[in-house]
């Protein structure tokens, strides 16, 4: 090992062996180099044996990198150096010693998803009330598991949690009493969960470190053995260590142990995983004699980039080590800056998100042209969240620029995997139309759009399943080529059905991919350099690995069992781990800032630098740990923005030569976005930037292969729900209202329809009982009624109407059906009692209308219209969702359309004038009312007209978002899903 390779601070850190050592290593200062060279130094100078070294780091990738670098450094071999993650090390300890603390020595490790499935299976054993919502009792399982995991990170036992809960002072206060009850419920659930794990010889990931701590705390002899074995302990990324991991280090560190920790508080970006930046400060308290070495020479970035990052991160003072330890953390570049009059740091601001994305890609093209040495791999686009990448991916596609989207999760959302799952679904249930529709659109089948249209519309018209339509395509006018494709799919289905009787899902799937021509297609396109297909090959390999693992650990891995398992893990929120190949083709890198940690690029674009995107909006932890139980030192400043600012620091320090921040005014919505506070802190402003709202012409695209010409038969009139569907996602609108893909119902939809029908029939009975004074639905009342003399059916009749109106379909099981049914009875009973003495005779029920908006029509039905003696009207719409006391402008739109109809249509005018628009939230027995001003109505008309115009020009590009996709009926077949 050449000593000339190290600067003075690095050399000092490598050679120091006289006690605890804290290395504060700024970005790009060679911290991994120091760790690997220190291990090599210890071995080459025979200061210790390989088996006496323990190197711990945060993830498998970092452990592998250290291992590889150590191998490169050493000129001699070794028997065993323990270089691993904390979890892997603790698993090894427990596999050897679990019996010493009463655990099974044959334990199995549960993944996060497996833990969710385990709790769901044993849900009846959890005595939950607060965290067991009606209609969806499993909704909070994930939050509870996350909470239990964080409790284990904080070394909080169920017993300690319960003691804390029971010690809460109720003091006769209702809120305090409810809080005590909530905490007690959590503590008991935590205890139940842990006991169930132990009873079934299971551990989750949090248990590995938790029980390793318990082992070393309770068993002094074992603790002393490990302290004696490991004479040198080195910890990388120390700022990412949580409390339980830090506690483990203390237990492993004996009197003669040399403990070295390397970290940088400014790069602590994993608080959501339990990491605690305060552990560095705890280290100084627990090891006051520890030596401090600061690495500040940066070997990555030019000085202006480092200065920018340093200026930003100082806004986290006084909670930084620089202040707490009185050290200098400013980085000094050892990189020679290229000769240029242009600043290495720039802010690009534009009017819209699309323009921002296009400008970033245009700049990439410009830099690639002027920098002859640059490769596509030298460019990185860093996003705060995976969902922010789409506009930039779209522009890269348009510009024919190769790229890799390096997401860490989402295997199950990849197009090829969606194809596979839908085939397996169709084999298991051949009447699943959505799955067959997906197969019909396999890219290599090249079926004409006109044939797809004939199949979907023909099946709808003749009440065929798609399976039947595939077999009888000629009757529907499908071309010979289209019928041949349909026959091919049906044949593949029959083959799969036969195989599924006796063979595993992986075999069934492989034979389909081979039989249908998928594998041949992939092989051909890979030869042509089709990058999406190359990615699809990676994804298919990973999915088969997933199938093989399932088949290995499952007693009866037949197809139907796998699909049940897959649906449950999807419900648990598992999107599938996505492993990116190390050697990707030369391409622009798009990745989250979290994923960029440890990487570097010549040119970096940090995008969407606006408030609520970066920094992201503050979100709670779901279930917070009581502050009295938290052992870490809490920061003086705002912890959320400090964490986001550290992310900003990490993003900025990935750049070597040029750093770009990009932002825009318009990201959708009604308000312009403010540029990020992190840019404001650097002196950047949006004022004075050139802004334009003009449409930018699309770049010329390569001609696409024709799939048959077809002009969509667009509706002549639109319902409000159709317009909202389009505004939520144009692609969703196309599937539902153009292609008319059959959709699966839901429990909430069935329940809502039942309540609406019940109330409509009930108020119809009120009209009948009071018919002597009302001639017709739209007739003039012949006499005024007071609320005291209106004839109203008894509560029992209302409940009988409810029973007769009950829709039994689409509930998950009998238990859910019964729970919804009882909930409905309770809601209607409360409704009846609340209305008693305040009944009205509606002047309109389920009143249909169609109004003109420009050259288009809007139609709909009004649930109820109540009339007063002064001809003032109240328009009422029932809602079975969660009540809202305050509603947004978008929430108001449905009732505003009704107001327009009642005000403009002659059929309604004689009834009176709308004075109140009311949403009646029947679940909560809450009414929220308002009235639209003339300008509100005109504004809505303009918006409706613009939206329908987009439909008529055929703009059906998907606009996925977390909320929209979660509630979309096509989420299981849509590759654009978030």
């Amino acid at each position: 090992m050449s000593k000339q390779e190290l600067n003075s601070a690095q050399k000092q850190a490598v050679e120091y062996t006289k006690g605890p050592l804290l290395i504060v290593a700024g970005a790009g200062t060679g911290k991994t180099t120091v760790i690997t060279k220190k291990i090599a130094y210890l071995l080459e100078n025979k200061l210790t044996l390989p088996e006496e070294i323990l190197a711990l780091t945060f993830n498998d990738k970092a452990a592998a990198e250290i291992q590889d670098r150590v191998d490169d450094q050493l000129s001699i071999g070794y028997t065993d150096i323990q270089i691993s993650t904390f979890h892997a090390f603790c698993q090894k300890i427990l596999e050897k010693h679990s019996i010493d603390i009463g655990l099974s020595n044959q334990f199995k490790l549960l993944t996060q998803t497996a833990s969710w499935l385990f709790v769901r299976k044993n849900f009846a054993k959890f005595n939950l009330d607060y965290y067991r919502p009606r209609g969806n009792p499993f909704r909070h399982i994930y939050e509870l598991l996350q909470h239990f995991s964080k409790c284990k990170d904080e070394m909080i036992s169920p017993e300690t949690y319960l003691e804390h809960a029971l010690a809460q002072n109720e003091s006769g206060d209702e809120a305090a009493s409810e809080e005590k009850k909530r905490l007690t419920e959590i503590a008991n659930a935590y205890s139940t969960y842990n006991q169930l794990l132990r009873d079934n010889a299971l551990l989750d990931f949090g248990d590995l470190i938790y029980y390793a701590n318990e082992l070393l705390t309770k068993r002094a002899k074992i603790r002393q053995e490990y302290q004696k074995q490991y004479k040198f302990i080195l910890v990388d990324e120390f700022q990412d260590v949580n409390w339980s991991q830090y506690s483990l280090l203390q237990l492993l560190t004996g009197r003669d142990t040399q403990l070295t920790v390397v970290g940088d508080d400014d790069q602590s970006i994993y608080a959501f995983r339990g990491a605690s930046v305060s552990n560095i400060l705890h280290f100084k308290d627990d090891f006051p004699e520890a030596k401090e070495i600061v690495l500040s020479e940066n070997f990555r970035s030019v000085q202006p980039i480092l200065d920018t990052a340093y200026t930003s991160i100082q806004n986290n003072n006084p909670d930084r080590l620089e202040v707490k330890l009185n050290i200098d953390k400013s980085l000094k570049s050892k990189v020679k800056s290229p000769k240029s009059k242009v600043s290495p740091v720039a802010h690009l601001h534009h009017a819209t998100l699309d323009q921002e994305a296009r400008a970033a890609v245009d700049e990439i093209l410009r830099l690639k042209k002027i920098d002859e040495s640059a490769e596509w791999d030298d460019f990185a686009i860093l996003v705060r969240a995976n969902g922010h990448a789409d506009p930039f991916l779209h522009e890269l596609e348009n510009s024919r620029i190769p790229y890799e989207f390096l997401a860490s999760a989402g295997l199950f959302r990849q197009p090829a995997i969606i194809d596979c799952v839908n085939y397996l679904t169709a084999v298991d249930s051949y009447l699943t139309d959505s799955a067959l529709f997906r197969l019909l659109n396999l890219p290599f089948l090249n079926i004409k759009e006109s044939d797809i249209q004939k199949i979907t519309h023909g099946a709808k018209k003749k009440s065929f399943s798609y399976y039947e339509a595939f077999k009888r395509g000629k009757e529907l006018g499908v071309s010979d080529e289209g019928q041949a494709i349909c026959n091919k799919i049906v044949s593949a289905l029959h083959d799969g059905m036969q195989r599924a009787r006796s063979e595993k899902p992986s075999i069934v799937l492989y034979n389909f991919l081979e039989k249908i021509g998928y594998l041949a297609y992939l092989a051909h396109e890979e030869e042509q350099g089709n990058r999406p297909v190359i990615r699809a090959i990676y994804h298919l390999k990973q999915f088969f690995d997933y199938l093989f693992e399932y088949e290995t650990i499952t007693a009866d891995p037949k197809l139907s069992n796998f699909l049940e398992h897959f649906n449950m893990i999807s419900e648990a929120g598992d999107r599938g781990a996505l492993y990116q190949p190390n050697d990707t083709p030369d391409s622009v890198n798009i990745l989250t800032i979290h994923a960029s940690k440890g990487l570097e690029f010549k040119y970096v674009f940090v995008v969407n630098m606006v408030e609520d995107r970066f920094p992201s909006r503050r979100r709670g932890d779901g279930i917070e740990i009581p502050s009295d139980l938290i052992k870490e030192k809490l920061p003086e400043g705002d912890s959320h923005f400090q964490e986001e600012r550290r992310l900003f620091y990490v993003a900025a320090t990935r750049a070597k030569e040029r750093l770009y921040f990009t932002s825009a005014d318009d990201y959708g919505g009604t308000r312009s976005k403010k540029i990020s506070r992190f840019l404001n802190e650097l002196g950047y402003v949006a004022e004075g930037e050139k802004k334009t709202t003009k449409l930018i012409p699309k770049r010329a695209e390569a001609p696409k292969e024709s799939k048959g010409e077809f002009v969509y038969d667009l509706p002549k009139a639109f319902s409000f729900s159709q317009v909202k569907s389009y505004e939520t996602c144009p692609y969703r609108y196309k599937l539902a209202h153009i292609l008319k893909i059959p959709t699966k119902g839901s429990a909430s939809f069935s329940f809502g329809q039942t309540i609406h029908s019940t109330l409509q029939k009930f108020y119809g009975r009120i009209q009948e009982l009071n018919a002597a004074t009302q001639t017709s639905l739209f007739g003039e009342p012949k006499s005024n009624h007071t609320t005291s003399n209106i004839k109203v059916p008894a509560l029992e009749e209302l409940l009988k109407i409810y029973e007769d109106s009950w829709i039994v379909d689409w509930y998950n099981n009998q238990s859910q059906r019964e729970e919804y049914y009882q909930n409905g009875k309770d809601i209607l009973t409360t409704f009846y009692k609340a209305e008693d003495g305040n009944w009205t005779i509606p002047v309109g029920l389920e009143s249909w209308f169609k109004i003109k908006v420009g050259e288009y029509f809007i139609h709909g039905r009004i649930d109820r219209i109540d009339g007063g003696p002064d001809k003032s009207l109240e328009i009422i719409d029932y809602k079975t969702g969660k009540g809202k006391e305050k509603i947004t402008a978008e929430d108001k739109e449905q009732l505003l359309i009704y107001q327009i109809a009642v005000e403009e249509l002659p059929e309604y005018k004689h009834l009176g004038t709308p004075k109140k628009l009311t949403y009646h939230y029947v679940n909560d027995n809450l009414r929220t009312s308002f009235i639209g001003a003339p300008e509100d109505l005109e504004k809505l008309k303009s918006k409706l007209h613009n939206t329908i115009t987009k439909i008529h020009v055929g703009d059906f590009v998907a606009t996925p978002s977390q909320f929209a996709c979660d509630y979309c009926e096509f989420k299981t077949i849509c590759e654009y899903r978030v």
Side-chain angles (χ1 to χ4, degrees):
M1 179 178 63
S2 173
K3 295 182 179 180
Q4 282 70 34
E5 295 176 10
L6 302 174
N7 60 35
S8 58
Q10 291 173 326
K11 181 175 181 296
Q12 186 182 16
V14 165
E15 297 179 356
Y16 184 79
T17 58
K18 296 180 180 179
L21 172 63
L22 170 62
I23 303 173
V24 180
T29 57
K31 66 175 181 60
T32 305
T33 297
V34 167
I35 290 175
T36 55
K37 287 187 178 292
K38 188 175 185 74
I39 294 173
Y41 174 82
L42 295 173
L43 295 176
E44 288 187 342
N45 289 277
K46 302 187 182 338
L47 299 176
T48 192
L49 298 174
E51 58 266 29
E52 295 173 333
I53 296 175
L54 172 62
L56 296 172
T57 189
F58 190 60
N59 56 43
D60 292 327
K61 182 179 179 181
E65 182 181 0
I66 291 175
Q67 184 76 65
D68 291 343
R69 289 206 195 183
V70 168
D71 291 346
D72 291 339
Q73 291 291 323
L74 292 175
S75 56
I76 55 173
Y78 55 86
T79 56
D80 180 38
I81 300 178
Q82 183 67 44
I83 302 175
S84 71
T85 65
F86 277 91
H87 288 92
F89 174 68
C90 289
Q91 183 173 351
K92 189 174 181 179
I93 289 178
L94 291 177
E95 286 172 347
K96 184 177 181 181
H97 298 291
S98 58
I99 197 170
D100 292 292
I101 51 172
L103 297 176
S104 169
N105 59 356
Q106 299 294 322
F107 67 84
K108 292 183 180 180
L109 189 61
L110 292 180
T111 63
Q112 185 181 70
T113 299
S115 296
W116 189 96
L117 294 170
F118 179 72
V119 171
R120 192 183 190 279
K121 179 181 178 182
N122 293 277
F123 196 70
K125 298 175 183 178
F126 290 81
N127 186 23
L128 297 176
D129 177 40
Y130 191 99
Y131 290 104
R132 187 181 186 275
R134 287 181 174 180
N136 186 3
F138 309 124
R139 181 190 302 170
H140 298 307
I141 291 178
Y142 176 78
E143 287 82 0
L144 286 167
L145 286 172
Q146 192 174 45
H147 185 69
F148 300 158
S149 177
K150 290 191 175 183
C151 287
K152 293 174 183 180
D153 289 345
E154 287 287 326
M155 294 301 299
I156 302 168
S157 68
E159 295 76 17
T160 300
Y161 206 131
L162 185 58
E163 288 175 8
H164 172 80
L166 295 177
Q168 297 301 300
N169 183 8
E170 298 180 64
S171 62
D173 180 76
E174 182 180 355
S177 177
E178 183 177 317
E179 179 65 4
K180 181 175 182 177
K181 182 179 178 182
R182 184 185 73 86
L183 290 174
T184 303
E185 179 175 305
I186 294 173
N188 286 327
Y190 184 23
S191 178
T192 299
Y193 173 65
N194 275 5
Q195 190 60 50
L196 283 169
L197 290 177
R198 293 178 72 122
D199 291 345
N200 290 275
L202 301 170
L203 297 180
D204 63 20
F205 278 100
D207 286 329
L208 293 176
I209 300 175
Y210 181 89
Y211 285 123
N213 270 281
E214 183 177 317
L215 172 72
L216 298 180
T217 299
K218 291 183 175 180
R219 303 291 178 253
K221 185 174 183 297
I222 296 175
R223 179 177 69 249
Q224 290 169 3
E225 288 175 358
Y226 280 103
Q227 289 176 347
K228 183 178 179 181
Q229 175 181 351
Y230 294 117
K231 295 181 178 179
F232 288 88
I233 300 177
L234 303 95
V235 184
D236 190 18
E237 303 287 8
F238 187 62
Q239 76 280 351
D240 293 330
V241 166
N242 62 40
W243 180 261
S244 64
Q245 292 166 336
Y246 179 64
S247 176
L248 180 76
L249 288 175
Q250 291 178 295
L251 291 168
L252 289 170
T253 303
R255 184 176 58 184
D256 298 323
T257 305
Q258 302 288 308
L259 176 61
T260 298
V261 299
V262 185
D264 179 14
D265 60 311
D266 292 334
Q267 296 185 79
S268 179
I269 59 172
Y270 292 108
F272 67 93
R273 292 179 180 169
S276 173
V277 68
S278 68
N279 281 330
I280 297 181
L281 298 177
H282 278 296
F283 180 86
K284 287 294 296 180
D285 293 338
D286 296 329
F287 301 94
E289 76 281 13
K291 183 176 181 60
E292 299 169 12
I293 296 177
V294 180
L295 304 183
S296 58
E297 289 189 358
N298 178 280
F299 302 94
R300 176 188 300 156
S301 309
V302 296
Q303 192 63 48
I305 292 175
L306 300 179
D307 292 342
T308 296
Y310 183 65
T311 299
S312 172
I313 202 63
Q314 286 188 90
N315 287 280
N316 276 3
N317 290 336
D319 291 312
R320 296 175 58 245
L321 288 181
E322 190 167 41
V323 175
K324 299 290 186 183
L325 302 183
N326 193 27
I327 58 178
D328 181 7
K329 290 192 63 190
S330 59
L331 299 177
K332 286 80 177 176
S333 175
K334 303 298 290 183
V335 177
K336 185 177 181 181
S337 298
K339 294 181 180 180
S340 174
K341 295 181 180 179
V342 180
S343 172
V345 183
H347 172 216
L348 307 178
H349 184 78
H350 291 272
T352 68
L353 171 59
D354 289 341
Q355 291 176 12
E356 175 190 351
R358 181 168 297 186
V361 172
D362 284 345
E363 183 65 6
I364 289 173
L365 288 168
R366 189 187 72 82
L367 291 170
K368 184 71 165 58
K369 184 176 181 179
I370 65 174
D371 183 353
E372 295 180 357
S373 66
E375 298 180 344
W376 293 122
D377 266 330
D378 289 323
F379 297 88
I381 296 175
L382 305 186
V383 295
R384 177 62 182 85
N386 282 321
H388 298 169
D390 287 348
F392 300 90
L393 303 181
H394 178 70
E395 287 300 329
L396 290 166
E397 291 275 8
N398 281 351
S399 299
R400 305 293 188 268
I401 297 176
Y403 68 86
E404 292 290 336
F405 182 25
L406 304 176
S408 60
L411 174 64
F412 303 149
R413 303 290 175 259
Q414 300 306 313
I417 310 310
I418 296 175
D419 293 339
C420 293
V421 172
N422 276 279
Y423 170 71
L424 295 176
T425 300
V427 168
D428 187 59
S429 178
Y430 65 91
L431 296 180
T432 306
D433 286 347
S434 59
L436 293 178
F437 178 77
R438 178 78 190 191
L439 298 181
L440 194 64
N441 282 275
L442 289 174
F444 53 88
L445 294 179
N446 295 318
I447 191 167
K448 297 176 182 177
E449 188 77 19
S450 56
D451 281 338
I452 294 176
Q453 192 76 5
K454 289 169 184 175
I455 290 169
T456 57
H457 282 197
K460 176 75 172 179
K461 184 176 181 180
K462 294 181 177 290
S463 298
F464 283 171
S465 67
Y466 280 13
Y467 173 78
E468 191 68 20
F470 283 11
K471 296 171 67 176
R472 299 167 62 177
K474 295 301 290 182
E475 297 178 28
L476 305 177
V478 174
S479 68
D480 291 341
E481 297 88 345
Q483 185 62 63
I485 292 170
C486 291
N487 292 341
K488 190 173 186 179
I489 295 173
V490 170
S491 175
L493 286 174
H494 289 170
D495 177 71
M497 293 173 193
Q498 184 176 1
R499 292 179 183 277
R501 296 170 188 164
S502 58
E503 297 184 358
K504 294 179 180 179
S506 60
I507 298 174
V508 174
L509 178 59
Y510 182 87
N511 278 280
F512 162 71
L513 296 176
E514 186 176 52
K515 182 181 181 69
I516 203 72
Y518 210 129
L519 295 179
Y521 162 75
L522 293 176
H524 175 267
E525 292 299 306
E526 191 275 335
E527 285 292 315
Q528 305 302 312
N530 186 324
R531 301 179 67 83
V533 166
I534 294 171
R535 288 194 290 271
I537 293 172
Y538 292 139
H539 299 153
L540 274 177
K541 170 66 167 59
Q542 292 170 35
F543 188 64
F544 270 103
D545 288 344
Y546 179 82
L547 277 173
F548 295 150
E549 182 180 2
Y550 168 81
E551 293 164 357
T552 300
I553 65 176
T554 304
D556 186 15
K558 62 183 180 182
L559 178 58
S560 58
N561 288 346
F562 170 73
L563 290 172
E564 181 181 5
H565 166 80
F566 188 83
N567 290 333
M568 288 179 70
I569 67 170
S570 297
E571 183 182 348
D574 190 343
R575 295 180 296 159
L578 193 59
Y579 303 105
Q580 300 292 343
N582 291 326
D583 298 322
T584 60
D586 183 28
S587 53
V588 173
N589 303 276
I590 304 96
L591 63 168
T592 65
I593 299 169
H594 280 100
S596 75
K597 182 86 183 303
L599 303 177
E600 59 184 44
F601 306 93
K602 196 171 187 178
Y603 304 108
V604 169
F605 293 76
V606 187
V607 301
N608 293 175
M609 289 297 303
V610 294
E611 292 291 293
D612 292 338
R613 286 206 167 203
F614 195 17
S616 66
R617 189 172 300 163
R618 188 191 307 273
R619 291 178 173 85
D621 287 338
I623 305 173
E624 300 277 357
I625 295 178
S627 57
D628 292 345
L629 297 177
I630 296 177
K631 300 177 180 66
E632 67 176 281
K633 296 180 179 180
L634 298 176
E636 297 176 34
D638 188 306
S639 60
H640 170 71
F641 290 119
Q642 287 184 352
E643 172 98 351
E644 291 289 302
R645 193 174 284 108
R646 290 194 291 270
L647 263 178
F648 180 75
Y649 179 87
V650 167
T653 53
R654 300 310 94 197
K656 296 162 71 175
E657 289 189 14
R658 297 292 301 273
L659 172 63
Y660 294 88
F661 304 118
T662 73
S663 60
D665 291 323
D666 184 4
Y667 289 81
T670 57
R671 294 186 178 180
S672 295
K673 289 287 189 181
K674 296 180 180 179
I675 68 167
S676 170
R677 67 190 63 202
F678 303 149
L679 294 185
N680 282 327
E681 291 166 357
L682 295 171
Y684 292 110
V685 294
E687 285 79 5
E689 300 284 348
K690 183 178 180 182
K691 303 176 186 178
T692 176
T693 57
K694 294 180 180 179
L695 293 176
I696 301 177
K698 291 185 177 180
R699 294 192 183 93
E701 297 185 19
K704 297 181 180 179
E705 184 177 349
S706 174
K707 293 187 178 182
E709 295 183 2
F710 185 83
V711 178
Y712 290 115
D713 183 18
L714 296 172
K716 302 295 188 294
F718 299 81
S719 68
F720 174 74
S721 63
Q722 288 176 332
V723 173
K724 292 303 293 183
S725 175
Y726 182 89
E727 290 176 351
T728 302
C729 177
Y731 185 65
R732 175 188 182 187
Y733 173 86
K734 179 183 178 182
L735 293 177
H737 302 290
I738 303 297
L739 298 178
K740 295 181 171 58
I741 306 300
T743 60
K744 180 181 178 180
S746 67
S748 59
F749 181 78
S750 293
F751 182 70
Q753 289 291 94
T754 296
I755 294 295
H756 274 75
S757 177
T758 300
L759 292 175
Q760 187 249 331
K761 293 174 183 176
F762 176 74
Y763 274 101
R765 281 287 293 137
I766 291 179
Q767 288 179 330
E768 291 173 10
L769 290 173
N770 296 274
T773 56
Q774 182 136 343
T775 57
S776 69
L777 186 63
F778 292 109
E780 294 278 358
K782 291 186 176 180
S783 64
N784 291 330
H785 278 274
T786 64
T787 56
S788 60
N789 63 10
I790 293 178
K791 298 176 184 178
V792 180
L795 172 60
E796 291 74 15
E797 185 172 348
L798 171 61
L799 296 180
K800 181 64 169 62
I801 293 172
Y802 171 66
E803 182 180 343
D804 293 339
S805 302
W806 179 252
I807 300 173
V808 300
D809 302 321
W810 303 115
Y811 293 92
N812 294 334
N813 49 52
Q814 184 63 25
S815 176
Q816 187 191 43
R817 184 180 294 110
E818 291 172 356
E819 187 171 2
Y820 261 98
Y821 182 80
Q822 183 58 48
N823 187 34
K825 292 180 69 175
D826 294 341
I827 287 171
L828 292 171
T829 300
T830 301
F831 166 82
Y832 189 95
K833 292 178 179 178
E835 292 294 313
D836 195 22
N838 297 292
W839 298 107
T840 59
I841 304 172
V843 297
L845 286 176
E846 290 292 308
S847 305
W848 186 84
F849 67 86
K850 179 187 284 187
I851 57 175
K852 193 79 177 288
V853 179
E855 65 269 35
Y856 310 120
F857 283 100
I858 299 286
H859 62 80
R861 290 186 183 275
I862 303 172
D863 286 345
R864 182 172 128 210
I865 305 173
D866 282 354
D870 58 349
K871 285 203 169 185
S872 64
L873 300 178
E874 181 180 9
I875 299 173
I876 300 170
D877 188 74
Y878 303 120
K879 296 293 183 186
T880 52
K882 185 177 180 181
K884 298 180 181 180
E885 294 184 358
K886 294 183 179 180
I887 54 179
T888 65
E890 287 191 357
D891 290 332
K892 295 179 179 180
E893 289 177 351
Q894 182 176 2
L895 281 178
L896 290 177
I897 291 175
Y898 296 171
Q899 180 181 343
I900 294 171
V902 174
E903 286 183 350
E904 292 186 353
L905 297 180
E907 295 88 342
Y908 289 96
K909 281 190 175 181
H910 73 283
L911 295 176
T913 304
K915 296 295 184 183
K916 187 188 290 187
L917 309 177
T918 299
Y919 285 121
H920 189 161
Y921 299 97
V922 293
N923 288 33
D924 303 312
N925 196 34
L926 172 69
R927 290 171 176 255
T928 302
S929 301
F930 61 97
I931 192 68
E935 56 267 29
D936 296 326
L937 305 182
E938 290 303 316
K939 184 177 179 181
L940 177 57
K941 288 180 182 179
S942 177
K943 180 180 179 181
L944 292 170
H945 187 272
N946 291 339
T947 299
I948 298 174
T949 298
K950 291 180 181 179
I951 295 174
H952 273 267
V953 299
D955 181 2
F956 299 119
V957 176
T959 56
S961 69
Q962 188 70 53
F963 178 84
C965 294
D966 280 350
Y967 293 95
C968 180
E969 60 271 40
F970 300 106
K971 60 185 176 183
T972 59
I973 65 171
C974 179
E975 67 191 57
Y976 304 111
R977 177 189 171 192
V978 174

